[in-house]
Amino acid sequence: MTKAPVGSAKHRKILLPSSSIVAVMAALALPAGAEAQTSQPLTRAGTLITNTATASYDTGGGNIVTVDSNSVDMHVEELLDVTVAQNGTGDVPTAPGATAQVLSFQVTNSGNGPEAFTLTAAGNVAGDDYDPTVNGIYIDSNGNGVYDPGIDALYPVGSEPLLEPETSMTIFVVATTPATVGDGDRGIVTLTAAAKTGTGTPGTLVPGAVGEGNVGVVIGASGGTADFDHAFRVAAATVTLVKSAVVLNSFGTAIPLPGATITYTIVANVTGSGSVNDLTITDSLPPEVSYQSGSITLDGGTLTDAADGDAGRFDADTVSVALGTVPGGESRTVIFRTKIN
Amino acid sequence: MEPMMRPFLLVIAAALLPVPALAANQVALDNNVFVERIQTDDSGKQRILLEEPKTVVPGDRLVFVLNYRNGGTQPADKFVVTNPMPAAVRFAEAGGSRPLVSVDGGKQWGLLADLTVAEADGTRRAAQPADVTHVRWAFDKPIPVGGTGKLMFRGVVK
């Protein structure tokens, strides 16, 4: 057997009186980093920890004697801890007046016993530009990570589900964005999860609470409660139309004589961080002018007059160009020609 | 702790207590476990308290103390004390006593700095305190009759 260099161990004096509580000097503190490993799963509440040591020795002539120490038993109490985080990164885009807007959260039981958590969602918190109207807190019933109206159930108040230790649930806060918000406005919703067994000062015992395995329940480092601010960001867009006309008569001047050509230019400017959908430019011509067939162009490209695959059409007295979705910061230019009757 | 709240556990605990090891004519090994708790007094000064715990929580720092006494009539030669780590406790350190440790359930022994652990990919890495499965002190001199001593190590509740 290898001999350990234990000369100092025999004479090491550790002043640990047998009384149950004793103050000792801070020199006995664990070296830094001794408890740095936290990736291991926590010991489950109710676990019995037993420590027993054994001594063996030779009383002479190879007579080996083995003795066991007494055993020391400790039960692992239940620790109440929770974390709340958002799913995904950054803010969630919304639009003025939009309903059924969804923020996704992750609530994790970071304690060591099964626990149920009370959830509250607050839209009226400080530090943002507007208050989202919270309509409900839903649980991801089918576990697909996406809010499914009519499938994902309202988070039950009063019968909150038990969450196993070190497991998570996906929670959706469904809200309405007020119609009055402006582009770029930010609206925070704070989701708070609180252990139903108790919250309070870390390290304190919850009076009267009995945890898994009939042990006491202790407030963990989180205080038994946690919250997270997740936010909507309004992405709105506005359209401005600028129309201009250029007259050219057969004399090469701009006098609007009968038979002169009027070239109309309509510029649609979209501004804001959002985009506009189904944007269509229409222009009804006055009876004093006649549309020149095949003259519609969009950003320089010619469009046909028929109601067909391309964006342009002329019908009766109306020119229309369907621009579809136009993001903020872009513009579209429509040009067509008419003749003065 | 509130004994009235958990009579069941107390019965179990009592049943697990071995016959006292202080039989005559042999070496007695007395095992104590303390939990280190930090207390802040009214002036904001922190002190570390050692308590004998009935209960612990994950993250609690434990001090294991083993007192031995040769109560026999012969010197105890080749004296070896072995403490298997409870499964729910991670070894931290043993101060300056430099015990032998095992990181493979007691098959091989050595100083922690000399041991390695197999990785999943077949390579070996240096053993860490968290790998320790057993702690052992092997004395190179006999314990004289009446001789006493104290061994200690620290661990953290996983």
Side-chain angles (χ1 to χ4, degrees):
Chain A
M1 175 173 299
T2 311
K3 300 289 184 186
V6 292
S8 63
K10 280 171 70 175
H11 308 294
R12 191 177 169 83
K13 290 281 189 242
I14 304 166
L15 299 174
L16 292 176
S18 56
S19 59
S20 64
I21 297 184
V22 56
V24 296
M25 290 192 297
L28 273 175
L30 277 180
E35 55 180 336
Q37 292 198 357
T38 53
S39 58
Q40 286 178 318
L42 298 179
T43 305
R44 184 102 182 188
T47 301
L48 174 66
I49 297 178
T50 298
N51 190 65
T52 312
T54 304
S56 71
Y57 55 97
D58 188 339
T59 57
N63 179 28
I64 303 293
V65 177
T66 300
V67 293
D68 285 341
S69 74
N70 59 303
S71 292
V72 175
D73 291 338
M74 297 157 281
H75 278 90
V76 176
E77 290 186 304
E78 185 162 335
L79 203 54
L80 296 178
D81 262 325
V82 60
T83 57
V84 181
Q86 71 176 62
N87 287 314
T89 54
D91 296 343
V92 172
T94 187
T99 59
Q101 302 295 289
V102 179
L103 294 176
S104 179
F105 293 86
Q106 198 78 7
V107 176
T108 303
N109 177 0
S110 43
N112 68 341
E115 178 64 19
F117 297 94
T118 303
L119 301 183
T120 50
N124 59 340
V125 293
D128 59 1
D129 303 308
Y130 76 95
D131 293 340
T133 306
V134 173
N135 304 123
I137 303 174
Y138 293 82
I139 188 165
D140 187 16
S141 301
N142 59 3
N144 68 350
V146 177
Y147 174 61
D148 298 306
I151 296 173
D152 292 332
L154 266 174
Y155 190 74
V157 175
S159 57
E160 293 84 354
L162 277 179
L163 200 55
E164 283 295 305
E166 293 173 279
T167 58
S168 302
M169 56 183 172
T170 298
I171 294 296
F172 303 111
V173 173
V174 178
T176 299
T177 304
T180 51
V181 299
D183 183 40
D185 282 357
R186 194 162 184 264
I188 295 173
V189 174
T190 302
L191 183 70
T192 303
K196 285 192 78 178
T197 303
T199 60
T201 307
T204 57
L205 206 59
V206 180
V210 178
E212 187 180 57
N214 205 24
V215 295
V217 180
V218 176
I219 305 290
S222 67
T225 180
D227 57 54
F228 193 90
D229 290 350
H230 196 359
F232 293 110
R233 172 82 67 176
V234 176
T238 52
V239 182
T240 51
L241 293 179
V242 179
K243 185 177 179 183
S244 58
V246 175
V247 179
L248 184 66
N249 60 30
S250 56
F251 303 104
T253 67
I255 300 168
L257 304 170
T261 300
I262 305 176
T263 302
Y264 290 104
T265 300
I266 301 171
V267 178
N269 281 308
V270 181
T271 55
S273 61
S275 55
V276 291
N277 301 322
D278 300 328
L279 176 61
T280 300
I281 293 174
T282 59
D283 192 355
S284 295
L285 303 181
E288 294 78 18
V289 299
S290 299
Y291 171 71
Q292 299 301 289
S293 59
S295 68
I296 306 172
T297 64
L298 170 61
D299 295 334
T302 303
L303 303 177
T304 65
D305 296 340
D308 52 16
D310 72 19
R313 66 185 290 196
F314 177 76
D315 186 17
D317 61 349
T318 301
V319 171
S320 72
V321 178
L323 301 174
T325 298
V326 181
E330 295 192 6
S331 64
R332 299 285 184 270
T333 301
V334 171
I335 300 174
F336 60 91
R337 291 191 310 275
T338 63
K339 267 199 172 137
I340 299 174
N341 295 329
Chain B
M1 222 27 69
E2 308 82 350
M4 296 311 291
M5 283 179 57
R6 34 190 100 139
F8 172 72
L9 292 179
L10 289 176
V11 170
I12 295 281
L16 288 172
L17 283 175
V19 177
L22 290 161
N25 299 324
Q26 63 177 16
V27 174
L29 187 61
D30 183 46
N31 170 23
N32 289 286
V33 181
F34 302 89
V35 62
E36 291 184 332
R37 296 217 159 103
I38 294 173
Q39 190 187 62
T40 306
D41 65 19
D42 294 341
S43 65
K45 211 169 163 183
Q46 289 196 330
R47 295 190 308 171
I48 295 177
L49 299 180
L50 291 187
E51 302 174 19
E52 284 185 306
K54 292 283 187 293
T55 60
V56 293
V57 292
D60 272 353
R61 296 167 300 179
L62 304 177
V63 181
F64 295 80
V65 179
L66 300 167
N67 288 289
Y68 59 86
R69 179 176 187 278
N70 186 358
T73 55
Q74 304 286 335
D77 198 7
K78 300 173 187 166
F79 186 62
V80 175
V81 175
T82 305
N83 197 134
M85 292 302 298
V89 179
R90 183 174 69 245
F91 176 77
E93 53 100 22
S97 70
R98 287 169 56 85
L100 300 175
V101 297
S102 175
V103 294
D104 58 4
K107 295 189 196 72
Q108 297 174 48
W109 299 86
L111 295 174
L112 183 59
D114 299 334
L115 297 176
T116 59
V117 173
E119 296 271 49
D121 63 1
T123 60
R124 299 193 75 84
R125 62 165 172 84
Q128 301 296 314
D131 299 318
V132 170
T133 61
H134 293 67
V135 186
R136 170 174 283 180
W137 293 264
F139 289 68
D140 47 13
K141 287 181 185 156
I143 310 299
V145 173
T148 64
K150 195 182 294 266
L151 304 166
M152 65 150 288
F153 63 97
R154 284 190 171 83
V156 179
V157 180
K158 292 179 189 170

